[in-house]
């Protein structure tokens, strides 16, 4: 099975194509909607504790389904969803066998300081409260020692929403910790990585780690 976590301005319904392609590839897919998006209740807290708890609660319900192989589960997040996926993976590492973090932010204070798009800065300010505690609890890079499974990091060099330096920072930390991982920086890609790239990297990685 694969847990897929959407990014900003999305939800489980608009991400259904991801679930469809995962199912076509032989995976059971679970696509939770983050708190405050679409028909999900509450207010967004920019990858904060309430959003992370909601995703974990949903995953545990998903695990109760009889057709789910709980020993072969991966998690894949894009953009804001990648940050959430990394946070979920560090809080519940025993649930997963592999993880994909795509176009995400992993050190929130540095991310906030380098963002060039004012609307994104305003979203962070509105949803987090802007303080050291808020930044730290949204920064999975500091908790990577807890994971014990392979990680694939994908990021576009030309990403104008989240700096590619976030991927490099996470790569450096995983190297320091000696964790199994692969980082792919795509020189011609922006924030939204094309389908061909996903097929080239995402599905082969899932096939290798979860089959």
């Amino acid at each position: 099975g694969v847990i897929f976590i959407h990014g900003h301005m999305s939800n489980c319904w608009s991400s259904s194509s991801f679930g469809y392609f995962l199912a076509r590839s032989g995976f059971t897919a679970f696509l939770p909607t983050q708190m405050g998006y679409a028909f999900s209740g509450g207010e967004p807290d920019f990858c904060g504790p309430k959003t992370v708890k909601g995703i974990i609660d949903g995953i545990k319900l998903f695990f109760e389904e009889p057709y789910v192989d709980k020993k072969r589960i991966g998690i894949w997040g894009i953009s804001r969803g990648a940050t959430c996926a990394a946070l979920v993976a560090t809080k519940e590492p025993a649930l997963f066998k592999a993880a994909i973090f795509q176009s995400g932010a992993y050190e929130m204070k540095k991310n906030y300081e380098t963002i060039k798009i004012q609307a994104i800065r305003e979203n962070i300010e509105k949803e987090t409260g802007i303080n050291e505690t808020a930044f730290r609890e949204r920064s999975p890079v500091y908790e990577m020692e807890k994971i014990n499974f392979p990680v694939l990091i994908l990021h576009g060099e030309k990403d104008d929403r989240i700096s590619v330096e976030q991927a490099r920072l996470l790569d450096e930390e995983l190297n320091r910790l000696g964790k199994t991982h692969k980082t792919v920086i795509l020189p011609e890609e922006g924030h939204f990585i094309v389908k061909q790239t996903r097929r080239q990297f995402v599905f082969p990685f899932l096939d290798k780690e979860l089959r």
Side-chain angles (χ1 to χ4, degrees):
V2 177
I3 316 299
F4 175 82
I5 307 177
H6 65 83
H8 186 50
M9 299 298 289
S10 187
N11 55 69
C12 67
W13 308 107
S14 56
S15 301
S16 59
S17 61
F18 290 91
Y20 173 77
F21 286 117
L22 286 165
R24 281 283 302 271
S25 298
F27 298 104
T28 301
F30 175 56
L31 284 67
T33 297
Q34 293 185 48
M35 186 177 70
Y37 286 81
F39 303 107
S40 182
E43 294 293 330
D45 66 348
F46 215 103
C47 314
K50 293 180 181 179
T51 293
V52 171
K53 181 180 183 302
I55 293 170
I56 292 172
D57 288 346
I59 292 171
K60 290 180 177 179
L61 285 174
F62 174 62
F63 276 20
E64 293 178 6
E65 298 296 333
Y67 50 80
V68 176
D69 184 348
K70 294 183 284 295
K71 295 181 180 179
R72 294 189 293 171
I73 299 294
I75 188 166
W76 172 21
I78 294 179
S79 188
R80 186 184 290 215
T83 306
C84 290
L87 289 164
V88 169
T90 59
K91 292 186 182 301
E92 296 285 350
L95 299 182
F96 306 107
K97 192 176 178 183
I100 301 172
F101 307 142
Q102 178 178 328
S103 305
Y106 313 105
E107 209 291 351
M108 194 58 70
K109 184 175 182 180
K110 291 181 180 178
N111 178 54
Y112 174 74
E113 292 171 346
T114 58
I115 286 173
K116 298 177 182 179
I117 299 175
Q118 183 60 27
I120 300 177
R121 290 179 61 86
E122 291 173 357
N123 279 340
I124 295 176
E125 292 166 2
K126 177 183 177 182
E127 297 179 33
T128 70
I130 303 299
N131 58 67
E132 292 298 325
T133 299
F135 283 136
R136 182 63 183 241
E137 65 190 1
R138 291 166 173 81
S139 299
V141 68
Y142 298 117
E143 305 296 330
M144 284 292 125
E145 75 278 359
K146 297 176 182 177
I147 68 168
N148 53 3
F149 44 78
V151 171
L152 173 63
I153 303 167
L154 293 173
H155 214 108
E157 184 81 49
K158 297 181 179 180
D159 193 332
D160 63 345
R161 299 192 179 199
I162 298 176
S163 170
V164 68
E165 294 307 315
Q166 289 287 315
R168 293 189 174 117
L169 184 152
L170 184 59
D171 176 73
E172 289 175 4
E173 179 64 5
L174 291 173
N175 280 330
R176 186 185 72 81
L177 294 168
K179 300 294 184 178
T180 301
H181 72 290
K182 180 178 181 179
T183 299
V184 180
I185 305 297
L186 300 153
E188 299 303 318
E189 298 282 2
H191 191 64
F192 301 100
I193 296 175
V194 298
K195 293 179 181 178
Q196 290 83 352
T197 303
R198 293 199 300 268
R199 290 169 183 160
Q200 181 180 357
F201 297 106
V202 171
F203 287 99
F205 176 79
L206 293 173
D207 283 336
K208 177 184 177 183
E209 302 301 338
L210 301 182
R211 298 296 187 188

